Amino acid sequence: MGILSTIFTWWNGATFGTRLGLSGKKQVGEDDLGNLYYEGGTDMHGRARRWVIYNGANDASRVPPEWFSWLHHQIDDVPDRALPPVRRWEKPATANLTGTALAYRPPGALDLGGARVRATGDYEAWTPDA
């Protein structure tokens, strides 16, 4: 990423000003996607302020549930210490796929040709005269 995009574009990652504002803050962890989590100072309620610096595009759906809980003060300690280990049957969190080629498209969607399965005959359309 070039220096100008680092200064002016917030949607491609943390800007220069954000990184400058994190000086003196403590990095407390990193998730599997490479997002970095910081803590430092207090908010107006006296709670510790917490931040995420995204690895790549700024998309809140890219924050795993355990780190979401930490960011929103639902758990006090970092997820590695506060939560039980992940069970083997749990699926990993995925980002929101809306607007991508991997998004869910139901049968009959225009992207799939617009043809849907015929009704089975158990449906009768309403008419105002009936």
Side-chain angles (χ1 to χ4, degrees), residues 39-52:
E39 185 173 47
T42 56
D43 65 7
M44 62 188 211
H45 302 291
R47 297 180 302 184
R49 297 219 38 210
R50 295 173 174 176
W51 293 269
V52 58

Side-chain angles (χ1 to χ4, degrees), residues 1 9-15 19 31 33-37 52-64 95-96 98 100:
M1 188 180 331
T9 60
W10 56 267
W11 55 88
N12 290 325
T15 62
R19 293 209 183 268
D31 64 22
L33 299 172
N35 300 327
L36 302 175
Y37 298 89
V52 58
I53 301 299
Y54 297 100
N55 179 22
N58 291 341
D59 180 6
S61 72
R62 295 181 62 234
V63 174
N96 184 352
T98 302
T100 70

Side-chain angles (χ1 to χ4, degrees), residues 43-128:
D43 65 7
M44 62 188 211
H45 302 291
R47 297 180 302 184
R49 297 219 38 210
R50 295 173 174 176
W51 293 269
V52 58
I53 301 299
Y54 297 100
N55 179 22
N58 291 341
D59 180 6
S61 72
R62 295 181 62 234
V63 174
E66 60 273 10
W67 281 103
F68 177 91
S69 297
W70 178 82
L71 282 169
H72 294 272
H73 298 278
Q74 295 172 344
I75 58 175
D76 292 327
D77 207 355
V78 293
D80 297 340
R81 294 189 295 259
L83 298 175
V86 176
R87 308 252 166 55
R88 63 187 167 121
W89 46 263
E90 290 182 85
K91 290 184 176 181
T94 57
N96 184 352
L97 300 175
T98 302
T100 70
L102 299 175
Y104 172 74
R105 289 173 175 79
L110 294 178
D111 290 352
L112 301 176
R116 63 183 188 106
V117 179
R118 284 189 56 82
T120 59
D122 60 350
Y123 172 77
E124 186 177 323
W126 176 84
T127 59

Side-chain angles (χ1 to χ4, degrees), residues 19-42:
R19 293 209 183 268
L20 188 62
L22 288 174
S23 63
K25 309 301 187 247
K26 178 183 172 193
Q27 181 180 339
V28 295
E30 181 177 352
D31 64 22
D32 295 336
L33 299 172
N35 300 327
L36 302 175
Y37 298 89
Y38 290 87
E39 185 173 47
T42 56

